[in-house]
Amino acid sequence: MNKTDTFRALHHGRMPGDPLILPGPWDAAAARVCADAGFSALATPSAGIAAALGYEDGATPADEMFAAIARIARAVDVPVSADVEDGYRLAPKELVERLLETGAVGCNLEDSHGGVLKDPRKHADWLAEVRATAGDRLFVNARVDTFLHGDGNPEGAIERAGLYVAAGSDCVYPIVAPAKVLPLLRAGIQGPLNAVARLDGVGPSPTELGGLGATRITFGPGLQRRATAALAEIAAQLRRG
């Protein structure tokens, strides 16, 4: 079984309350720490990588993002999925080729640009092209931004998700969906469901999110921000002597 098949298999047959936990390393060193801790797969955060490279979230040049993903994938033996935002306006063929060149086995693709939701049917058509080009070589996680940039209507999120699943997406990610609507989303969406968890103790734990219907849990840039906060404390202590 290759890494992509292994990664895909990790999303299926999971029991409620036992979601797939995917830490988000922002560089090769962080990836090694996560892999050495025993995690079976990793998922890079675009915002975390942007911060590590000195960019605002959403402003990382595509070449630098793909290079960072490649360094992370090279550093570990476990499967790595990559957040590539909305695909950097690349044609599906080029996007797939560049992702595969990094060694990534999957990708997040969001349905908004510049804080504005895309037309869901046009986006579904684009996702279908990505799937047709990639075949089974990539696990596609379709991010649904209804709760981030839309009106937060769960029915609208379910409608978008249905289009993306029909287009061949392997998983759906209604980012920042309130925990209370996860059961409704779970009932209305086919296949694996991604939820985001916080690392500051606010909101449900990964296990609790799994119990509400999430198949897998990611953390966005949470790990990178927590590590940066820890470094800030160390730096302050050094400054004080």
Side-chain angles (χ1 to χ4, degrees), residues 142-239:
R143 203 179 89 175
V144 178
D145 287 0
T146 304
F147 300 96
L148 184 64
H149 298 306
D151 60 7
N153 181 359
E155 295 300 331
I158 290 171
E159 182 179 355
R160 283 177 174 266
L163 291 170
Y164 304 159
V165 170
S169 297
D170 298 284
C171 184
V172 174
Y173 180 17
I175 189 170
V176 301
K180 65 182 180 181
V181 306
L182 276 179
L184 177 62
L185 296 176
R186 174 68 286 163
I189 295 174
Q190 295 182 6
L193 184 67
N194 192 151
V196 63
R198 296 178 59 165
L199 293 169
D200 56 4
V202 175
S205 69
T207 298
E208 290 169 334
L209 289 171
L212 292 170
T215 309
R216 78 181 216 176
I217 306 297
T218 51
F219 304 90
L223 284 175
Q224 184 271 330
R225 290 175 180 171
R226 187 162 178 175
T228 299
L231 179 58
E233 290 183 9
I234 295 170
Q237 290 174 0
L238 292 173
R239 185 69 180 84

Side-chain angles (χ1 to χ4, degrees), residues 3-187:
K3 282 186 179 181
T4 307
D5 291 339
T6 297
F7 186 64
R8 186 172 282 111
L10 289 170
H11 292 75
H12 297 282
R14 308 199 72 89
M15 299 297 292
D18 180 34
L20 173 63
I21 308 297
L22 297 173
W26 58 96
D27 62 14
R32 290 194 188 101
V33 168
C34 292
D36 289 346
F39 289 98
S40 55
L42 310 174
T44 70
S46 61
I49 289 177
L53 295 176
Y55 293 102
E56 295 295 321
D57 184 19
T60 309
D63 287 350
E64 293 196 45
M65 183 63 74
F66 286 118
I69 294 165
R71 289 191 292 271
I72 290 169
R74 275 200 311 269
V76 294
D77 292 328
V78 299
V80 173
S81 183
D83 182 352
V84 288
E85 302 177 287
D86 70 339
Y88 307 108
R89 300 198 171 185
L90 298 174
K93 184 175 186 297
E94 183 178 359
L95 175 62
V96 169
E97 288 175 350
R98 297 195 69 174
L99 275 166
L100 292 174
E101 285 172 357
T102 68
V105 302
C107 60
N108 277 13
L109 293 169
E110 57 200 50
D111 66 349
S112 66
H113 179 78
V116 178
L117 287 172
K118 297 181 179 182
D119 178 274
R121 296 190 180 278
K122 290 182 179 179
H123 186 63
D125 289 342
W126 183 77
L127 287 173
E129 291 186 55
V130 172
R131 168 54 69 216
T133 302
D136 291 332
R137 295 177 295 171
L138 285 175
F139 183 98
V140 177
N141 187 34
R143 203 179 89 175
V144 178
D145 287 0
T146 304
F147 300 96
L148 184 64
H149 298 306
D151 60 7
N153 181 359
E155 295 300 331
I158 290 171
E159 182 179 355
R160 283 177 174 266
L163 291 170
Y164 304 159
V165 170
S169 297
D170 298 284
C171 184
V172 174
Y173 180 17
I175 189 170
V176 301
K180 65 182 180 181
V181 306
L182 276 179
L184 177 62
L185 296 176
R186 174 68 286 163

